Amino acid sequence: MDLRIAHLYPDLMSIYGDRGNVIALEQRARWRGIDVETRSYTAGDAFDVDWPDLLFFGGGQDQGQDVVGEDLQGPNGDALRRAVAGGAAVLAICGGYQLLGHEYVPETGPAIPGLGVLDVTTRAGKRRFVGNLVVRAVGPDLPGMICVLRATLVGFENHSGRTYLGPAARPLGRVLVGHGNNGEDKTEGAVQGKIVGCYIHGSLLPKNTWLADQMLTWALVRRHGEVTLAPLDDTAEAAAHAAAIKVARSRP
Ligand code: GLN
């Protein structure tokens, strides 16, 4: 088996260690003997619709989102929508998550239209949500998710955006520590088909390995049919997860 990862806008949308998610996906695939190729695409590049199995879209400042938003209004936007319709899995963090939705309205400046592949809308608030974030995943009532019952996710958040879910999107989890989507409804993130968006930086996947394996499984299905990933020894990752939750709970 081989895996193709497209890293979207790494020069404009990769803050707070988000690139670590690509490294984690590559390494967890390679540890299972799966060849991996990662290609980067940025504004103005011609996006290859049929190539990627998995799209990664990191976070970014409002300024970067402006440039990316414009690029998404062009042929790359259509190409990304077709790649998603063609079965590519998507993981998006913070600013990338916001731009998968209908629009992101920053505190200053015009609204930035999003890709519209995730039924969410984001509006900036006056106060930034900054700090540790712990989430209880709402699986297994998320169709097709191999979520471990009552699994948790941990990392940190830094955003002004408040995200609200429409009927087609399901929350990824419930907030235990932190603000999450909007600091009001206790939801965090969104899942729709094989698209996962969330506000968890850190980077997310190295210490939340069940979600990494979920994304890999969804990505590999596209060209390889049903796959069951061999378990890995996640002792270190589990310890990092537990330690991060302890810190987050000690400093709510
Ligand atoms: N600029 C967006 C916001 O402030 C996203 C920030 C981020 O990606 N960390 O909400």
Side-chain angles (χ1 to χ4, degrees), residues 10-87:
D11 53 334
L12 295 161
M13 302 290 287
S14 191
I15 51 179
Y16 311 129
D18 289 344
R19 193 171 67 81
N21 293 303
V22 176
I23 296 171
L25 290 162
E26 291 170 336
Q27 191 53 56
R28 294 185 71 79
R30 290 194 177 115
W31 277 332
R32 279 118 170 184
I34 299 167
D35 295 336
V36 184
E37 183 184 351
T38 300
R39 293 182 189 171
S40 296
Y41 294 91
T42 193
D45 288 350
F47 184 82
D48 182 340
V49 175
D50 303 315
W51 184 80
D53 305 313
L54 202 160
L55 308 174
F56 177 72
F57 202 170
Q61 313 295 353
D62 291 3
Q63 296 71 19
Q65 288 175 286
D66 274 345
V67 178
V68 171
E70 214 165 299
D71 190 65
L72 294 176
Q73 293 313 298
N76 278 344
D78 297 334
L80 283 170
R81 277 184 281 272
R82 284 179 13 235
V84 170

Side-chain angles (χ1 to χ4, degrees), residues 147-170:
C147 176
V148 185
L149 200 55
R150 302 186 62 69
T152 45
L153 295 166
V154 59
F156 78 91
E157 59 185 335
N158 185 338
H159 56 109
S160 62
R162 277 84 168 135
T163 297
Y164 300 89
L165 276 56
R170 313 279 297 264

Side-chain angles (χ1 to χ4, degrees), residues 128-186:
R128 290 192 75 79
F129 291 149
V130 180
N132 295 306
L133 181 54
V134 182
V135 174
R136 166 96 56 213
V138 288
D141 57 357
L142 282 170
M145 226 173 179
I146 52 169
C147 176
V148 185
L149 200 55
R150 302 186 62 69
T152 45
L153 295 166
V154 59
F156 78 91
E157 59 185 335
N158 185 338
H159 56 109
S160 62
R162 277 84 168 135
T163 297
Y164 300 89
L165 276 56
R170 313 279 297 264
L172 173 62
R174 301 237 165 270
V175 172
L176 299 175
V177 176
H179 300 91
N181 279 330
N182 48 50
E184 297 157 27
D185 62 12
K186 285 286 178 201

Side-chain angles (χ1 to χ4, degrees), residues 77 80-82 84-85 90 99-102 114-120 168 192-193 195:
L80 283 170
R81 277 184 281 272
R82 284 179 13 235
V84 170
V90 185
L99 291 178
L100 289 184
H102 303 298
L115 265 182
V117 294
L118 198 52
D119 189 10
V120 303
Q192 192 171 327
I195 304 174

